[in-house]
């Protein structure tokens, strides 16, 4: 089995894992949690979101969190930024890196951002320019790449168009999201082969949700297609716990365990990651979806 | 991605899914459940076990279940048989096929069967002979192929030795079990490549547990190694629900959904399978591990 040796892992739990939570995690607990994550060997943590608190009340304390975390020089502390207003807030707290987002499907983009795909580009361009004028990089998230709850299957040409626009505006890396966990390994292999042919290897990350249990199989397909960058959310946090069956991001510890077992290197200490997962599980007081966490004895 | 077109799926839920349950599912519920399974397109159902009821009280009604189910001519109704006594009981109720079991690891075999691996062969041989004298076939389960809770990693030569013995005594197919869900896709590919080299393709099935969330990734690796026969347990039933983190077999509906999405054919109707899963979930009155079942709206 031909697999890459070195993996880059990006932890999105503090932002993507919490953003749909109806319960507000107190700022000091978020800070303590992110500080634990900073000690695991992870090189990228998405700390919070500068989307207006009206839309994401769970992350209304983005400034406070950024100001209170202990920064580890080896970690990039990123912020989700929807528009120029968000960019200004993120700059004020000196987020190391920005992340912007949109969808590959017209309907999902409209429902999520309240703009057409074409209208969205200008908004993101402003953010990217604001970031680069402060010498900061911008990452891009593209949702519903492997299927949309409204538009169903997304043609590869639509995905290519969006990626082309994002890369052209100076986004350094695109994280392709399987937002509803409907993608299958054969599809992942085929989509990634097409995108690599068009844009080259190394510009794409994969961001899987485990709604149908296929996240690790999809990651395997991604590895076989040469993708070396993966997102995950500690504990498997994320998704909407109040929608029937909606489940979270792939659990960071489950993904990394599998990669390490196959001899790949990520520089991350899964045991320390599990301590951080256990911490946030304690805050919520209920069992998170992660498999590894169920086996974890603490300590 | 090079994948087989046609898959054979074997449903082991009524036996493997229930055997560790401390709660006794009433016989008439088992029968109703198996009758639902018989209408899904599944060609093999492992109905029960003729292990002494002292060891598996949950399946103490094996005879009654076999006698009361409505047999579908397109389904093979198999029974787990530990020894000649079990074989006689299974013959009396006319089980279509026998299944025997042992471990690839010495310690697990000793703890599970109370015999050494070498001593076990003679016991199984008696069962196979008893079956074939009644024109019945015998399937073999080998546990802990991908790792043992006591002995750790199992050398491929040990696995080969056991397979060689089982095939030599006339067992038509060996189901290789990842009993504690510790196997990884790279390992699955490598083990299956070795076994196919030694014994040819088509003699092996894969039987995964989802303890660490790797079951579907491992199935993908199995498919890529040319394995076309997979076991599953509806709802993800199985394992020991009272041991921390021990989780069940891969859920039949999760596995089949992924295979179908990748264009493979199993002749099985996943919607009907979900009705049967929903039925047994109702009997237990608690959420089963299956992902698809969480999305199922019934009807």
């Amino acid at each position: 089995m031909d697999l890459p040796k070195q993996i880059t892992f990006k932890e999105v739990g503090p932002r993507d894992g919490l953003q749909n939570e109806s319960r507000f995690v107190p700022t000091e607990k978020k800070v303590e949690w992110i500080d634990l994550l900073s000690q695991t060997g992870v090189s990228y943590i998405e700390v919070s979101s500068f989307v207006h608190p009206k839309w994401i009340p769970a992350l209304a304390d983005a400034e406070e969190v950024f100001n209170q975390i202990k920064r580890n020089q080896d970690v990039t502390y990123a912020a989700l930024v929807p528009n120029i207003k968000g960019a200004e807030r993120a700059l004020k707290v000196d987020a190391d890196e920005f992340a912007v987002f949109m969808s590959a499907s017209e309907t999902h983009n409209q429902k999520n951002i309240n703009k057409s795909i074409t209208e969205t580009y200008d908004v993101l361009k402003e953010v990217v320019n604001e970031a680069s004028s402060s010498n900061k990089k911008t990452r891009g998230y593209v949702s519903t790449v492997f299927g949309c709850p409204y538009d169903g299957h997304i043609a590869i040409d639509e995905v290519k168009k969006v990626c082309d626009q994002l890369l052209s505006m100076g986004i350094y890396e695109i994280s392709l999201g399987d937002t509803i966990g409907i993608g299958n390994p054969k599809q992942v292999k085929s989509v990634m082969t097409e995108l690599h042919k068009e844009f080259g290897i190394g510009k794409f990350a994969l961001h899987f949700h485990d709604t149908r249990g296929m996240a690790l199989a999809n990651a395997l397909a991604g590895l076989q297609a040469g993708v070396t960058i993966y997102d995950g959310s500690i504990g498997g946090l994320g998704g909407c716990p109040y929608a029937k069956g909606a489940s979270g991001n792939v659990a960071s510890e489950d993904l990394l365990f599998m990669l390490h077992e196959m001899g790949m290197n990520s520089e991350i200490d899964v045991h320390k990651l599990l301590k951080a997962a256990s911490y946030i599980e304690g805050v919520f007081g209920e069992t998170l979806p992660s498999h590894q966490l169920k086996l974890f004895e603490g300590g």
Side-chain angles (χ1 to χ4, degrees), chain A:
Chain A
M1 192 172 273
D2 197 23
L3 298 170
K5 291 217 161 33
Q6 185 70 34
I7 292 300
T8 300
F9 175 77
K10 304 205 166 181
E11 174 58 47
V12 299
R15 191 275 302 170
D16 199 15
L18 295 189
Q19 68 179 13
N20 291 316
E21 277 295 332
S22 66
R23 294 161 293 185
F24 185 79
V25 175
T27 306
E28 69 271 19
K29 305 249 183 225
K30 284 177 183 145
V31 170
E32 201 170 336
W33 181 38
I34 293 167
D35 287 348
L36 283 172
L37 285 170
S38 293
Q39 302 306 317
T40 60
V42 158
S43 61
Y44 176 105
I45 301 173
E46 211 159 276
V47 171
S48 194
S49 167
F50 290 97
V51 170
H52 195 285
K54 185 171 74 179
W55 303 115
I56 308 192
L59 302 179
D61 56 354
E63 276 88 355
E64 291 90 323
V65 174
F66 262 100
N67 285 329
Q68 291 173 32
I69 53 173
K70 284 191 208 78
R71 300 216 189 179
N72 175 338
Q73 290 309 309
D74 299 328
V75 179
T76 297
Y77 296 93
L80 196 74
V81 167
N83 50 33
I84 189 73
K85 275 214 163 151
E88 287 159 5
R89 292 173 60 201
L91 281 179
K92 225 176 260 172
V93 296
D94 196 27
D96 294 326
E97 198 176 295
F98 290 6
V100 294
F101 57 98
M102 60 177 299
S103 301
S105 101
E106 194 62 56
T107 311
H108 190 267
N109 199 73
Q110 193 76 49
K111 295 215 181 225
N112 202 34
I113 306 188
N114 207 20
K115 284 189 174 53
S116 72
I117 285 181
T118 308
E119 290 162 351
T120 304
Y121 294 136
D122 288 337
V123 180
L124 304 193
K125 222 174 286 180
E126 270 195 300
V127 174
V128 175
N129 292 341
E130 183 74 7
S132 72
S133 72
S134 297
N135 288 318
K136 294 185 191 287
K137 298 197 293 178
T138 304
R139 188 182 203 225
Y141 285 103
V142 182
S143 299
T144 65
V145 168
F146 301 95
C148 169
Y150 313 109
D151 297 347
H153 179 76
I154 306 298
I156 182 71
D157 284 343
E158 299 306 311
V159 179
K160 280 185 190 172
K161 254 190 259 173
V162 171
C163 291
D164 186 43
Q165 289 284 336
L166 293 180
L167 293 171
S168 303
M169 66 178 77
I171 278 167
Y172 77 97
E173 172 181 299
I174 298 175
S175 174
L176 303 162
D178 184 13
T179 313
I180 55 168
I182 188 70
N184 69 69
K186 191 175 178 176
Q187 180 188 11
V188 169
K189 180 85 186 293
S190 136
V191 166
M192 294 320 301
T193 304
E194 287 277 336
L195 293 179
H196 285 158
K197 217 187 293 170
E198 187 93 3
F199 304 103
I201 265 184
K203 299 221 161 304
F204 298 101
L206 284 166
H207 181 111
F208 292 121
H209 283 241
D210 203 33
T211 320
R212 289 164 182 81
M214 292 189 281
L216 293 188
N218 284 336
L220 180 64
L223 292 165
Q224 292 180 328
V227 181
T228 60
I229 313 163
Y230 292 85
D231 297 352
S233 173
I234 194 164
L237 270 172
C240 180
Y242 306 103
K244 185 173 167 67
S247 88
N249 292 270
V250 65
S252 312
E253 55 273 32
D254 289 347
L255 176 61
L256 287 165
F257 180 84
M258 183 177 88
L259 303 187
H260 294 174
E261 286 287 299
M262 296 197 292
M264 281 173 251
N265 184 30
S266 71
E267 316 290 350
I268 296 167
D269 182 330
V270 171
H271 186 81
K272 288 186 180 167
L273 212 55
L274 279 163
K275 285 192 185 179
S278 180
Y279 175 85
I280 194 70
E281 190 173 57
V283 170
F284 282 117
E286 60 185 46
T287 305
L288 296 180
S290 159
H291 290 84
Q292 288 292 329
L293 194 50
K294 292 186 185 70
L295 300 166
F296 183 59
E297 302 287 349

